[in-house]
Amino acid sequence: MEQDLLAKISELTETGKVDNKINKGSDGVDELTKQALNEGVEPEKVLDALVLGMSIVGEKFAQGKAFVPNMLLAAKAMNAGMAHLKPFFSSGQVKRKGSLVIGTVFGDLHDIGKNLVAMMVEGSGWEVIDLGVDVKPEKFISAVEQHPGCVVGISALLTTTMNNMETVVKAVRGKYPETRFIIGGAPVNQDFADKIGADAYAPNPKGAVDKLNWIVSS
Ligand code: B1M
């Protein structure tokens, strides 16, 4: 019974069925997450079910079998479930895998890809602090100050702004030398990440989750 409920939560997260207002009446992630917690299912298991649904859609997206709207819907469903889990996070009963401070580098206003990465990472059990677009080094530094031990994620979509990533890496490491960085965005690649001293490069949201898990375990 519990297994069925958790499997349903995963499936509905993947398909982006947020609540019972969609598709006339049948329960969505919102109602089923609430039901599971009310029935005493451990919050960690509920979180795992949500994460599983999100990671399946992330994998499909990486393979070109799911698209931006699928990711957005899955993230919306995930958020509906996460809202019921928030009290357990706040009480410390459920632990986050880590914190990611993420932003689009200064000079750059593109945020669709960065938002997808943020959603997927959050949906994988990380705390995400999204600084938005056109983020200057000082803003990254102050976020690192407020979230000690966080990983910093930088996105860039322009060949004219990708070099600003190096400025951010240097500025943040100037104050917090241990800070680890993950970068992504259409014009960058692993060679560029190596060149600017970033710890990881990811081509897509699923890759970002994998690399973040690798960063915290290494
Ligand atoms: Co812009 N734009 N744009 N634009 N825009 C591009 C990027 C461009 C390739 C279009 C083109 O000419 N063919 C071109 C860049 C050329 C270059 O630098 N070589 C370009 C240009 C030139 C410009 C302007 C300069 C145009 C102008 O004003 N003359 C201007 C710059 C403004 C600025 O930033 N200062 C500009 C403006 C805009 C809009 C505001 C109109 C809009 C952005 C809206 C927004 O983001 N809110 C826009 C858009 C939509 C695009 C295109 C069409 C789509 C970008 C996008 O969202 N892709 C783009 C052309 C294209 O890609 N076909 C283009 C979908 C998204 C899901 O993919 O962002 O790559 P992407 O993210 C991926 C991965 O890269 C990765 O995961 C995501 C999901 O798979 N990823 C990460 C991204 N960040 C990551 C971080 C990670 C890990 C992975 O870890 C931290």
Side-chain angles (χ1 to χ4, degrees):
M1 188 63 195
E2 178 181 309
Q3 278 314 313
D4 292 346
L5 187 53
L6 292 171
K8 196 76 193 155
I9 290 172
S10 294
E11 182 197 323
L12 296 181
T13 303
E14 182 199 337
T15 53
K17 180 155 163 50
V18 179
D19 55 29
N20 62 15
K21 292 180 202 96
I22 300 172
N23 288 351
K24 300 191 184 79
S26 66
D27 284 342
V29 173
D30 183 28
E31 293 82 14
L32 292 187
T33 303
K34 200 170 162 192
Q35 182 189 332
L37 294 168
N38 285 342
E39 288 176 7
V41 179
E42 285 171 40
E44 285 89 350
K45 289 187 181 169
V46 178
L47 177 64
D48 286 348
L50 294 165
V51 168
L52 178 63
M54 197 69 199
S55 64
I56 292 172
V57 78
E59 181 69 48
K60 287 185 175 170
F61 183 79
Q63 294 169 356
K65 293 178 184 162
F67 305 96
V68 172
N70 304 103
M71 288 281 284
L72 293 176
L73 274 175
K76 210 169 168 201
M78 172 96 202
N79 284 338
M82 290 292 277
H84 299 294
L85 283 172
K86 278 253 154 71
F88 299 94
F89 284 120
S90 320
S91 70
Q93 200 177 327
V94 179
K95 293 253 177 301
R96 302 274 196 183
K97 289 184 186 165
S99 309
L100 174 72
V101 162
I102 190 169
T104 301
V105 78
F106 63 95
D108 201 321
L109 302 175
H110 296 83
D111 68 357
I112 297 168
K114 183 265 297 165
N115 292 346
L116 290 177
V117 170
M119 286 173 202
M120 181 78 200
V121 171
E122 189 164 35
S124 304
W126 283 66
E127 180 191 19
V128 173
I129 301 96
D130 188 344
L131 304 180
V133 296
D134 192 18
V135 183
K136 304 197 173 41
E138 308 78 61
K139 199 166 172 184
F140 279 108
I141 291 172
S142 112
V144 172
E145 235 156 53
Q146 287 163 41
H147 301 276
C150 66
V151 178
V152 174
I154 324 175
S155 178
L157 258 288
L158 298 171
T159 46
T160 48
T161 58
M162 59 191 267
N163 290 315
N164 296 347
M165 288 175 152
E166 186 169 14
T167 309
V168 173
V169 171
K170 283 190 171 146
V172 175
R173 288 231 177 96
K175 265 203 119 177
Y176 299 99
E178 305 298 321
T179 309
R180 287 148 318 158
F181 289 86
I182 176 167
I183 65 161
V188 304
N189 56 26
Q190 185 62 56
D191 285 348
F192 183 73
D194 294 341
K195 182 175 154 265
I196 68 168
D199 301 80
Y201 155 76
N204 53 45
K206 162 82 170 58
V209 170
D210 293 344
K211 289 286 173 72
L212 284 168
N213 290 335
W214 167 76
I215 286 177
V216 289
S217 66
S218 60

